[in-house]
């Protein structure tokens, strides 16, 4: 969440920055809540001062043998009044926090201004040798098949998955399942052995408070799968939209668990940067997808992803952002998949993000670029919600900065590999880096 002291000092400027995100900050409400807080604190301080004054007066008058019953009676009423103010401040703090928790991060000064994806800016493109003409994708000399047609010939079964679980699930067997596993193993090996990340195995189910800390709740509650012991159950709307700490959810990304590894901690500056990676399934209800990509692997309720997280000193977070981006790019380069880098505009970056790059891969069947990775710098936004801090060499305690990125979404990487490596007979040439994970297989021949 945002720093409240920054809001108090630069309220109009922050409201203007948030407006570029399409978010209207209720300035009057913030001022009202903050003034109420000040009044309660001032009243509390006055009563505390009065209590101390009366205590001294009682002692002084008693020493002189004077009557102090009225002063004692007056002082005895103060604890109850202070307790009442304490309850008021606690209730008001909840209201203030609810207000703050709904405010997205402010965009970094380098982020393009715009309200939707049409204002995103392309930074660069990359093509394997021979796969482009004048920086445009080179067309096939045959009509390319889509990934569903290609996948079904090597073990993809969407109908079976649909009968088991409904739409937006997949069942893979045989060669395509092996290729899917090869992608995850390759990515983990690349990021741990070449890029210096520590591999983690994390829970797939987390408490609401964990999701609250990383910013998924309360904003994205409708996109999460809620879980109860005994099975999945419909979860009633939470009273006053407040999160229930006892509720549990399936993770929508291992960013949640990796970033939360420092929740409530004060780490040493010498331990930074902390670089973590994990391969997990991810679960998203896709409630807001508007019917897009119903067919195929692009938009699934359950998918796998290798996540990259760096937890860093604030002074190095934008350098770290570029490094994480380069690690995701290197993954695509080794897979020989054409891609482009997009800098997202202020209206298109995620709720927690101050700056985001998207990597988009070329899909021949769609004649279009599709997102495969987002790399974001959340600055101190998540750390402030999680109370994740570091102690510098002078003993000062400050909030950490968090960077996350997909390195990569495995299902979408599978789509890109199938479509960009297809041959006219429907066979798939396996990228060289994946062959050691597939027993040396060079080409997948359709059944």
């Amino acid at each position: 969440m945002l720093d409240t002291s920054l809001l108090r000092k630069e309220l109009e400027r922050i409201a203007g920055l948030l407006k570029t995100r399409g978010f209207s900050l209720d300035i009057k409400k913030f001022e009202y809540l903050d003034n109420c807080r000040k009044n309660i604190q001032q009243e509390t301080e006055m009563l505390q001062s009065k209590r101390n004054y009366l205590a001294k007066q009682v002692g002084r008058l008693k020493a002189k043998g004077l009557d102090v019953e009225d002063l004692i009676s007056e002082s005895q009423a103060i604890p109850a009044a202070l307790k009442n103010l304490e309850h008021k401040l606690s209730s008001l703090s909840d209201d203030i926090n609810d207000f703050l928790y709904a405010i997205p991060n402010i965009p970094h000064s380098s982020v393009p201004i715009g309200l939707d994806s049409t204002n995103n800016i392309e930074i660069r493109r990359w093509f394997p040798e021979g796969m482009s003409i004048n920086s445009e994708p080179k067309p096939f000399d045959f009509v390319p098949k889509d990934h569903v047609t290609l996948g079904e010939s090597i073990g993809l079964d969407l109908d079976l998955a649909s009968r088991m679980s409904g739409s937006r699930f997949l069942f893979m067997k045989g060669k395509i399942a092996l290729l899917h596993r090869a992608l995850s193993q390759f990515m983990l090996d690349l990021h741990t052995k070449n890029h210096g990340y520590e591999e983690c195995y994390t829970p797939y189910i987390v408490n609401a408070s964990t999701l609250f800390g990383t910013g998924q709740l309360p904003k994205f509650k409708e996109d999460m799968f809620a879980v109860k012991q005994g099975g999945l159950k419909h979860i009633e709307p939470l009273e006053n939209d407040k999160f229930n700490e006892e509720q549990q959810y399936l993770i929508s990304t291992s960013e949640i668990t990796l970033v939360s590894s420092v929740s409530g901690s004060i780490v040493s500056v010498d331990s930074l940067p902390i670089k973590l990676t994990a391969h997990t399934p991810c679960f998203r209800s896709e409630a807001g997808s508007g019917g897009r990509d119903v067919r195929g692997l692009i938009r699934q309720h359950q998918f796998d992803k290798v996540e990259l997280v760096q937890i860093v000193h604030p002074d190095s977070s934008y350098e770290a952002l570029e490094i994480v981006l380069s690690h995701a790019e290197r993954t695509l380069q080794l897979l020989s998949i054409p891609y482009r880098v997009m800098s997202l505009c202020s209206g298109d970056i995620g709720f927690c993000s101050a700056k985001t790059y998207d990597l988009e891969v070329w899909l021949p069947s769609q004649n279009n670029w599709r997102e495969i990775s987002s790399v974001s710098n959340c600055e101190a936004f998540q750390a402030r919600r999680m109370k994740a801090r570091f102690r510098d060499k002078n003993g000062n305690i400050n909030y950490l900065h968090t960077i996350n990125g997909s390195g990569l979404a495995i299902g979408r990487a599978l789509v890109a590999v199938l479509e960009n490596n297809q041959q006219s007979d429907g066979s798939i040439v396996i990228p060289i880096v994946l062959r050691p994970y597939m027993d040396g297989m060079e080409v997948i021949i359709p059944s």
Side-chain angles (χ1 to χ4, degrees), residues 86-360:
E86 183 183 337
H87 288 313
K88 283 185 178 180
L89 184 60
S90 176
S91 178
L92 181 64
S93 295
D94 287 342
D95 292 338
I96 292 172
N97 285 335
D98 286 347
F99 178 80
L100 293 173
Y101 296 151
I103 302 173
N105 205 349
I106 54 175
H108 187 261
S109 58
S110 63
V111 171
I113 301 300
L115 292 180
D116 57 44
S117 60
T118 59
N119 300 116
N120 295 343
I121 293 178
E122 183 175 325
I123 304 299
R124 57 182 170 271
R125 294 184 180 191
W126 183 90
F127 294 94
E129 186 176 352
M131 289 188 69
S132 71
I133 301 175
N134 298 324
S135 295
E136 292 294 332
K138 183 178 179 180
F140 285 101
D141 56 7
F142 58 89
V143 177
K145 299 179 176 68
D146 69 10
H147 70 275
V148 176
T149 302
L150 294 165
E152 286 176 341
S153 69
I154 58 172
L156 173 65
D157 196 333
L158 296 175
D159 290 337
L160 176 58
S162 180
R163 293 197 299 274
M164 290 180 175
S165 307
S167 62
R168 298 189 189 275
F169 289 92
L170 67 149
F171 190 103
M172 295 183 292
K173 58 186 176 182
K175 294 174 183 176
I176 193 170
L178 178 60
L179 181 57
H180 186 270
R181 175 160 61 89
L183 281 163
S184 64
Q185 290 180 297
F186 155 69
M187 291 176 196
L188 283 175
D189 282 350
L190 173 66
H191 298 314
T192 55
K193 296 176 181 178
N194 294 29
H195 297 154
Y197 292 83
E198 183 176 12
E199 184 175 351
C200 303
Y201 177 84
T202 81
Y204 300 163
I205 297 175
V206 294
N207 298 328
S209 54
T210 301
L211 293 169
F212 167 80
T214 53
Q216 277 72 27
L217 290 182
K219 174 71 174 177
F220 301 108
K221 185 179 71 174
E222 297 305 318
D223 296 335
M224 306 295 297
F225 280 103
V227 179
K228 285 283 190 183
Q229 286 190 352
L232 290 168
K233 296 182 180 179
H234 174 70
I235 305 302
E236 295 297 330
L238 302 177
E239 184 180 355
N240 298 324
D241 291 327
K242 293 180 181 178
F243 71 100
N244 179 350
E245 291 187 355
E246 299 303 315
Q247 182 57 57
Q248 292 183 311
Y249 295 81
L250 293 169
I251 61 170
S252 56
T253 166
S254 58
E255 170 204 339
I256 295 163
T257 45
L258 295 177
V259 169
S260 295
S261 64
V262 294
S263 177
S265 301
I266 300 176
V267 303
S268 167
V269 69
D270 294 331
S271 68
L272 303 177
I274 298 170
K275 300 167 64 177
L276 306 174
T277 186
H279 164 222
T280 66
C282 305
F283 304 90
R284 298 180 188 175
S285 71
E286 296 292 351
S289 62
R292 292 175 297 166
D293 301 310
V294 174
R295 183 175 184 265
L297 280 64
I298 296 294
R299 197 175 294 273
Q300 295 275 296
H301 291 315
Q302 175 187 320
F303 60 96
D304 283 49
K305 183 153 65 83
V306 171
E307 186 73 8
L308 304 176
V309 161
Q310 291 204 21
I311 299 163
V312 303
H313 191 288
D315 292 346
S316 61
S317 68
Y318 278 92
E319 178 186 0
L321 175 68
E322 300 296 328
I323 290 171
V324 176
L325 175 64
S326 73
H327 293 161
E329 286 190 73
R330 185 58 180 157
T331 311
L332 289 169
Q333 291 167 6
L334 290 172
L335 290 171
S336 296
I337 297 174
Y339 70 87
R340 66 177 184 176
V341 180
M342 304 293 292
S343 179
L344 301 195
C345 71
S346 54
D348 203 29
I349 58 177
F351 180 78
C352 296
S353 176
K355 183 172 183 175
T356 296
Y357 293 111
D358 268 7
L359 292 178
E360 298 179 348

Side-chain angles (χ1 to χ4, degrees), residues 52-65:
N52 295 337
Y53 169 77
L54 289 173
K56 290 179 181 178
Q57 284 292 91
V58 167
R60 185 173 63 82
L61 294 176
K62 268 188 175 182
K64 293 180 178 181

